[in-house]
Amino acid sequence: MEAILLQYGWVLIVLVVLEGLLAADNAVVMAVMVKHLPQDLQKKALFYGLFGALIFRFSALFVITVLVNYWQIQAVGAAYLLFMSAKNIYDLRKGKDEEEDSDEAAAKKGSGFWMTVLKVELADIAFAIDSMLAAVAIAVTLPHLGNFDIGGINGGQFIIMLLGGFIGVIMMRFAAQWFVKVLNDYPSLETAAFLIVGWVGVKLAVLTLAHEKVGILPKEFPHSTGWELTFWIVLVGIAFVGYLVGVRNKKNHNNG
């Protein structure tokens, strides 16, 4: 029993690390989505959005073998992120300011808030499917623990997957909150943030193209070492250059 519990503990650590890595780029997307809201509503939007996403993840564990067939979910997520990235970068470069007067903003605050919550939930759903499949693939290698099944999966394996996903969502929530603060402190980082959003959209597009029902890319490609390295090197590069530009612009603004 001690050996089995040790295996479960090790797999839980692996799942948390996996979710943590995925949370880094996903959190940037979440931060960009809620940044337009008043500061007091940003935390609420992240909480409600990710709470709904957690409910989805719990439910999806029962039907993951069905959800995996719907490559359209990730395709829509990829298209939306690429559109959002291109549109906002275009608006920033044009210096477009679409601020509404205070009366209109007050009238639309409610709908804007709940629409943002919905967007956060949908974005996490698009991200979640691949990470959940990875979690299932890792967890099913564990020996059975307990004499009960949940959703066709051994109870012990199910619980370890649920814990990994739960911890991952919490990490994503706090990471997104931190990114919101960074974007507020360094407004010029917005361009880099939207570039990252677009790059994450490319990541979802690659997953879609490699889906077995699409078959444009090899099924193994999204998880190959070459693609993973390329993705993270480009993402870190965008973030690093964006940070340097942001610090320089803030220093010039303060000196001016």
Side-chain angles (χ1 to χ4, degrees):
M1 177 60 72
E2 289 181 1
I4 291 176
L5 291 177
L6 189 63
Q7 289 182 60
Y8 268 75
W10 171 245
V11 166
L12 180 59
I13 292 172
V14 171
L15 290 179
V16 169
V17 171
L18 173 66
E19 290 285 353
L21 289 172
L22 293 170
D25 55 330
N26 299 356
V28 178
V29 176
M30 307 295 181
V32 168
M33 286 181 169
V34 303
K35 186 180 180 296
H36 69 282
L37 293 172
Q39 194 167 358
D40 61 321
L41 292 181
Q42 291 173 353
K43 292 182 181 179
K44 289 183 179 179
L46 286 174
F47 175 79
Y48 289 137
L50 292 176
F51 180 76
L54 183 63
I55 299 299
F56 165 80
R57 287 181 182 227
F58 177 76
S59 305
L61 284 175
F62 292 97
V63 291
I64 188 65
T65 54
V66 176
L67 282 175
V68 69
N69 293 319
Y70 291 94
W71 57 268
Q72 294 90 341
I73 295 175
Q74 289 177 328
V76 170
Y80 174 71
L81 294 184
L82 289 169
F83 169 76
M84 184 172 73
S85 173
K87 179 182 181 300
N88 283 279
I89 289 174
Y90 175 80
D91 289 348
L92 287 171
R93 289 182 65 87
K94 289 291 184 180
K96 187 176 180 180
D97 186 2
E98 298 181 347
E99 290 183 1
E100 299 173 304
D101 60 66
S102 57
D103 292 336
E104 291 176 335
K108 294 185 178 179
K109 182 183 291 185
S111 61
F113 173 77
W114 288 110
M115 183 57 68
T116 300
V117 170
L118 179 62
K119 288 178 180 178
V120 170
E121 288 190 10
L122 293 177
D124 186 73
I125 288 171
F127 293 133
I129 293 177
D130 188 60
S131 64
M132 288 180 64
L133 284 173
V136 170
I138 294 171
V140 295
T141 63
L142 288 167
H144 286 196
L145 185 63
N147 298 318
F148 63 98
D149 290 340
I150 302 176
I153 301 173
N154 171 257
Q157 297 172 344
F158 183 93
I159 290 170
I160 210 74
M161 285 187 288
L162 184 62
L163 281 175
F166 179 73
I167 294 170
V169 168
I170 292 175
M171 291 170 67
M172 196 184 307
R173 194 266 188 188
F174 285 104
Q177 190 175 319
W178 181 79
F179 280 121
V180 169
K181 184 178 183 302
V182 170
L183 289 175
N184 286 331
D185 291 341
Y186 299 93
S188 58
L189 275 176
E190 278 196 72
T191 299
F194 283 119
L195 284 173
I196 290 174
V197 169
W199 185 233
V200 175
V202 171
K203 176 185 179 182
L204 283 178
V206 167
L207 285 168
T208 302
L209 295 174
H211 192 281
E212 59 183 11
K213 290 191 174 181
V214 179
I216 294 176
L217 291 175
K219 186 178 179 180
E220 300 78 16
F221 179 76
H223 305 290
S224 65
T225 302
W227 167 244
E228 292 281 1
L229 281 175
T230 300
F231 175 78
W232 284 105
I233 289 171
V234 172
L235 187 145
V236 172
I238 294 171
F240 182 68
V241 173
Y243 174 75
L244 292 180
V245 172
V247 169
R248 186 193 65 187
N249 289 346
K250 187 171 184 179
K251 187 180 295 183
N252 292 340
H253 177 75
N254 291 336
N255 292 336

